Amino acid sequence: MKDTLSRFTLRISQIWLDKLDFIAAYECRTKNKELELLIRNRVAEFEDKHGKILFNQEKDLENPGSSG
């Protein structure tokens, strides 16, 4: 099965990575899932304040008759 997940390299000081690992383990999550949760929460917070972020294909889905 093909993996469709994107990869991203994060450069961060070891102390922050260790703290993230501690929190993730405490919450029974991987560091990756903890970061994903933090990103989702931040995006939701941003969208609540500024409106939904849409990219071209999402805009097309929300407005099927529009061109552009």
Side-chain angles (χ1 to χ4, degrees):
M1 180 189 314
K2 184 178 178 185
D3 183 358
T4 59
L5 298 175
S6 297
R7 301 311 194 257
F8 175 79
T9 300
L10 175 67
R11 292 185 299 271
I12 188 171
S13 81
Q14 189 61 49
I15 190 69
W16 290 116
L17 189 60
D18 292 344
K19 288 181 180 195
L20 176 68
D21 190 38
F22 181 91
I23 294 167
Y26 184 87
E27 299 291 342
C28 298
R29 286 190 275 270
T30 63
K31 285 183 280 196
N32 189 77
K33 286 297 181 187
E34 186 67 26
L35 281 172
E36 186 177 342
L37 177 66
L38 291 168
I39 291 167
R40 287 175 184 264
N41 289 342
R42 178 60 180 119
V43 168
E45 177 186 303
F46 182 93
E47 289 182 332
D48 285 346
K49 183 175 182 180
H50 300 283
K52 188 166 173 67
I53 301 167
L54 295 175
F55 297 98
N56 286 337
Q57 66 191 70
E58 292 172 306
K59 289 177 187 173
D60 292 344
L61 290 174
E62 287 200 357
N63 302 306
S66 69
S67 59

